[in-house]
Amino acid sequence: MPEPRPAILVVEDEAPIAETIVYALQTEGFVPRWVTTGRAALTELTIPPAVALVILDIGLPDANGFDVFRQIQQRAPTPVIFLTARASEVDRIVGLELGADDYLTKPFSPRELTARVRAVLRRVQAVPTPAGPVAANAAPPATAKVWTHDVERCRISYRGQPLTLTRNEYRLLAVLLAAPGRVFSREQLMAQAWPDPGAALDRTVDAHVKTVRAKLRDIASDADPILTHRGLGYSLREES
Protein backbone atom coordinates (compact mmCIF):
# COMPACT_ATOMS: atom_id res chain seq x y z
CA MET A 1 0.00 0.00 0.00
CA PRO A 2 1.53 3.36 -1.02
CA GLU A 3 2.55 5.85 1.65
CA PRO A 4 0.03 8.70 2.13
CA ARG A 5 1.17 11.96 0.59
CA PRO A 6 2.23 14.58 3.19
CA ALA A 7 -0.28 17.37 3.80
CA ILE A 8 1.27 20.84 3.74
CA LEU A 9 -0.60 23.81 5.24
CA VAL A 10 0.01 27.07 3.35
CA VAL A 11 -0.83 30.20 5.37
CA GLU A 12 -0.59 33.10 2.92
CA ASP A 13 -3.04 35.96 2.26
CA GLU A 14 -1.65 36.98 -1.15
CA ALA A 15 -3.52 34.82 -3.65
CA PRO A 16 -0.94 34.91 -6.51
CA ILE A 17 1.83 33.77 -4.17
CA ALA A 18 -0.35 31.13 -2.51
CA GLU A 19 -1.54 29.73 -5.83
CA THR A 20 2.06 29.42 -7.04
CA ILE A 21 3.02 27.57 -3.84
CA VAL A 22 -0.01 25.28 -4.04
CA TYR A 23 0.74 24.40 -7.67
CA ALA A 24 4.42 23.72 -6.91
CA LEU A 25 3.53 21.48 -3.96
CA GLN A 26 0.94 19.53 -5.98
CA THR A 27 3.47 19.04 -8.77
CA GLU A 28 5.96 17.58 -6.26
CA GLY A 29 3.44 15.11 -4.85
CA PHE A 30 2.31 16.95 -1.72
CA VAL A 31 -1.26 17.67 -0.63
CA PRO A 32 -1.48 21.44 -0.06
CA ARG A 33 -4.18 23.05 2.10
CA TRP A 34 -4.43 26.83 1.78
CA VAL A 35 -5.78 29.36 4.29
CA THR A 36 -5.37 33.13 4.40
CA THR A 37 -5.39 33.98 8.13
CA GLY A 38 -3.75 32.86 11.34
CA ARG A 39 -7.10 32.00 12.88
CA ALA A 40 -8.00 29.77 9.94
CA ALA A 41 -4.59 28.08 10.18
CA LEU A 42 -5.14 27.11 13.81
CA THR A 43 -8.55 25.70 12.92
CA GLU A 44 -7.16 23.80 9.92
CA LEU A 45 -4.59 22.07 12.14
CA THR A 46 -7.42 20.39 14.06
CA ILE A 47 -8.86 18.80 10.90
CA PRO A 48 -7.56 15.34 9.86
CA PRO A 49 -5.38 14.22 8.25
CA ALA A 50 -2.53 15.67 10.28
CA VAL A 51 -0.44 18.38 8.67
CA ALA A 52 3.19 17.37 8.10
CA LEU A 53 4.53 20.92 7.71
CA VAL A 54 3.33 24.54 7.73
CA ILE A 55 4.45 27.25 5.30
CA LEU A 56 3.67 30.41 7.28
CA ASP A 57 3.70 34.01 6.09
CA ILE A 58 4.82 36.42 8.81
CA GLY A 59 2.67 39.33 7.57
CA LEU A 60 -0.89 38.04 7.94
CA PRO A 61 -3.97 40.30 7.96
CA ASP A 62 -5.23 39.17 11.39
CA ALA A 63 -2.08 38.26 13.31
CA ASN A 64 1.69 38.37 13.44
CA GLY A 65 3.13 35.16 12.00
CA PHE A 66 5.49 34.79 14.96
CA ASP A 67 2.49 34.76 17.34
CA VAL A 68 0.71 32.19 15.17
CA PHE A 69 3.88 30.07 15.22
CA ARG A 70 3.91 30.10 19.03
CA GLN A 71 0.29 28.96 19.14
CA ILE A 72 0.99 26.18 16.64
CA GLN A 73 3.88 24.88 18.74
CA GLN A 74 1.80 24.96 21.92
CA ARG A 75 -0.73 22.63 20.31
CA ALA A 76 1.66 20.14 18.73
CA PRO A 77 5.24 20.63 17.52
CA THR A 78 4.96 20.94 13.74
CA PRO A 79 7.74 21.86 11.28
CA VAL A 80 7.36 25.44 10.05
CA ILE A 81 8.95 27.36 7.19
CA PHE A 82 8.51 31.12 7.50
CA LEU A 83 7.82 33.36 4.49
CA THR A 84 8.38 37.10 4.65
CA ALA A 85 8.62 40.10 2.38
CA ARG A 86 11.31 41.54 4.64
CA ALA A 87 14.96 40.55 4.26
CA SER A 88 15.96 41.90 7.67
CA GLU A 89 18.51 39.80 9.52
CA VAL A 90 16.61 40.57 12.73
CA ASP A 91 13.49 38.86 11.35
CA ARG A 92 15.53 35.81 10.37
CA ILE A 93 17.16 35.57 13.78
CA VAL A 94 13.82 35.94 15.58
CA GLY A 95 12.25 33.24 13.43
CA LEU A 96 15.09 30.77 13.97
CA GLU A 97 15.32 31.53 17.69
CA LEU A 98 11.63 30.76 18.06
CA GLY A 99 12.33 27.33 16.61
CA ALA A 100 11.34 27.66 12.96
CA ASP A 101 12.86 25.04 10.67
CA ASP A 102 13.61 27.35 7.75
CA TYR A 103 13.07 30.87 6.43
CA LEU A 104 12.47 32.19 2.91
CA THR A 105 12.33 35.80 1.75
CA LYS A 106 9.97 36.85 -1.06
CA PRO A 107 10.36 36.64 -3.98
CA PHE A 108 11.55 33.05 -4.00
CA SER A 109 11.76 30.18 -6.43
CA PRO A 110 8.90 27.64 -6.08
CA ARG A 111 11.45 24.93 -6.83
CA GLU A 112 13.65 26.16 -3.96
CA LEU A 113 10.65 26.18 -1.62
CA THR A 114 9.66 22.60 -2.43
CA ALA A 115 13.30 21.52 -2.05
CA ARG A 116 13.38 23.08 1.41
CA VAL A 117 10.08 21.42 2.31
CA ARG A 118 11.58 18.04 1.42
CA ALA A 119 14.78 18.82 3.33
CA VAL A 120 12.89 19.80 6.49
CA LEU A 121 10.69 16.71 6.34
CA ARG A 122 13.78 14.51 5.90
CA ARG A 123 15.45 16.12 8.93
CA VAL A 124 12.36 15.71 11.08
CA GLN A 125 11.97 12.06 10.13
CA ALA A 126 15.67 11.30 10.49
CA VAL A 127 16.28 13.08 13.79
CA PRO A 128 13.44 12.24 16.19
CA THR A 129 15.81 12.57 19.14
CA PRO A 130 19.16 14.28 19.61
CA ALA A 131 22.07 12.55 17.93
CA GLY A 132 25.73 12.62 18.81
CA PRO A 133 28.10 11.33 21.48
CA VAL A 134 25.50 11.67 24.22
CA ALA A 135 22.68 9.14 23.90
CA ALA A 136 19.36 10.85 24.60
CA ASN A 137 17.74 7.60 25.66
CA ALA A 138 20.22 6.96 28.45
CA ALA A 139 18.16 7.12 31.65
CA PRO A 140 19.94 9.41 34.10
CA PRO A 141 19.67 7.75 37.52
CA ALA A 142 20.54 10.94 39.40
CA THR A 143 17.40 12.64 38.06
CA ALA A 144 15.08 9.68 37.71
CA LYS A 145 12.75 10.83 40.51
CA VAL A 146 12.52 14.36 39.18
CA TRP A 147 12.48 13.77 35.42
CA THR A 148 10.75 11.25 33.18
CA HIS A 149 11.89 10.89 29.57
CA ASP A 150 9.76 8.80 27.23
CA VAL A 151 12.12 8.56 24.28
CA GLU A 152 9.71 6.65 22.03
CA ARG A 153 7.06 9.37 22.36
CA CYS A 154 9.55 12.25 22.60
CA ARG A 155 8.00 13.39 25.88
CA ILE A 156 9.71 14.80 28.95
CA SER A 157 7.99 15.30 32.31
CA TYR A 158 9.26 17.35 35.23
CA ARG A 159 8.13 16.57 38.76
CA GLY A 160 5.38 14.38 37.38
CA GLN A 161 4.01 16.96 34.92
CA PRO A 162 4.53 16.65 31.15
CA LEU A 163 6.23 19.58 29.45
CA THR A 164 4.85 21.16 26.29
CA LEU A 165 8.01 21.67 24.27
CA THR A 166 8.80 22.72 20.74
CA ARG A 167 10.92 20.26 18.77
CA ASN A 168 14.16 22.18 19.39
CA GLU A 169 13.35 22.71 23.08
CA TYR A 170 12.82 18.97 23.40
CA ARG A 171 16.11 18.13 21.71
CA LEU A 172 18.00 20.64 23.83
CA LEU A 173 16.55 19.38 27.10
CA ALA A 174 17.03 15.74 26.09
CA VAL A 175 20.75 16.32 25.54
CA LEU A 176 21.12 17.92 28.99
CA LEU A 177 18.98 15.23 30.60
CA ALA A 178 21.16 12.46 29.20
CA ALA A 179 24.16 13.65 31.22
CA PRO A 180 23.23 15.52 34.43
CA GLY A 181 26.11 17.58 35.76
CA ARG A 182 28.00 17.63 32.47
CA VAL A 183 28.72 21.11 31.14
CA PHE A 184 27.86 21.51 27.45
CA SER A 185 29.21 24.42 25.45
CA ARG A 186 26.79 26.21 23.15
CA GLU A 187 28.62 24.69 20.19
CA GLN A 188 28.11 21.18 21.59
CA LEU A 189 24.43 21.82 22.21
CA MET A 190 23.98 23.17 18.69
CA ALA A 191 25.78 20.16 17.20
CA GLN A 192 23.68 17.64 19.13
CA ALA A 193 20.28 19.32 19.44
CA TRP A 194 19.88 21.15 16.13
CA PRO A 195 19.31 19.19 12.90
CA ASP A 196 21.17 21.92 11.01
CA PRO A 197 23.75 23.41 13.41
CA GLY A 198 24.98 25.77 10.72
CA ALA A 199 21.66 27.64 10.87
CA ALA A 200 21.81 28.10 14.64
CA LEU A 201 23.50 30.90 16.55
CA ASP A 202 24.84 31.21 20.08
CA ARG A 203 21.90 33.42 20.95
CA THR A 204 19.56 30.74 19.60
CA VAL A 205 20.71 28.34 22.33
CA ASP A 206 20.35 31.06 24.97
CA ALA A 207 16.82 31.88 23.78
CA HIS A 208 15.74 28.23 23.93
CA VAL A 209 17.23 27.75 27.40
CA LYS A 210 15.26 30.81 28.52
CA THR A 211 11.94 29.44 27.22
CA VAL A 212 12.57 25.98 28.74
CA ARG A 213 13.36 27.58 32.10
CA ALA A 214 10.10 29.52 31.95
CA LYS A 215 8.14 26.30 31.33
CA LEU A 216 9.87 24.60 34.25
CA ARG A 217 9.01 27.52 36.53
CA ASP A 218 5.36 27.18 35.50
CA ILE A 219 5.50 23.79 37.23
CA ALA A 220 7.65 24.84 40.18
CA SER A 221 8.23 28.56 40.68
CA ASP A 222 11.49 27.92 42.54
CA ALA A 223 12.80 25.52 39.89
CA ASP A 224 16.22 26.26 38.47
CA PRO A 225 17.50 22.91 37.16
CA ILE A 226 19.41 24.33 34.18
CA LEU A 227 22.64 25.91 35.38
CA THR A 228 24.56 28.60 33.51
CA HIS A 229 28.35 28.35 33.53
CA ARG A 230 29.63 31.73 32.40
CA GLY A 231 31.96 31.50 29.46
CA LEU A 232 31.43 27.73 29.26
CA GLY A 233 27.79 26.81 28.61
CA TYR A 234 25.00 24.97 30.40
CA SER A 235 24.43 21.88 32.51
CA LEU A 236 21.49 20.12 34.17
CA ARG A 237 21.48 20.14 37.94
CA GLU A 238 21.88 16.69 39.47
CA GLU A 239 18.75 16.08 41.52
CA SER A 240 17.49 13.07 43.41
Side-chain angles (χ1 to χ4, degrees), residues 57-112:
D57 185 23
I58 291 177
L60 297 171
D62 67 330
N64 181 290
F66 294 143
D67 293 333
V68 175
F69 172 82
R70 292 187 184 95
Q71 294 181 64
I72 290 173
Q73 297 302 308
Q74 287 171 1
R75 297 182 179 208
T78 305
V80 173
I81 296 177
F82 275 129
L83 298 181
T84 180
R86 299 173 293 187
S88 168
E89 181 184 2
V90 173
D91 287 341
R92 178 178 179 274
I93 290 172
V94 170
L96 294 175
E97 285 183 348
L98 285 175
D101 294 85
D102 211 337
Y103 195 103
L104 270 177
T105 303
K106 303 174 185 176
F108 53 83
S109 159
R111 179 173 294 181
E112 179 184 6

Side-chain angles (χ1 to χ4, degrees), residues 213-235:
R213 280 174 166 159
K215 292 177 180 181
L216 295 172
R217 291 193 183 106
D218 286 341
I219 294 174
S221 59
D222 61 339
D224 191 20
I226 300 178
L227 304 178
T228 300
H229 301 267
R230 294 191 180 279
L232 297 174
Y234 298 97
S235 70

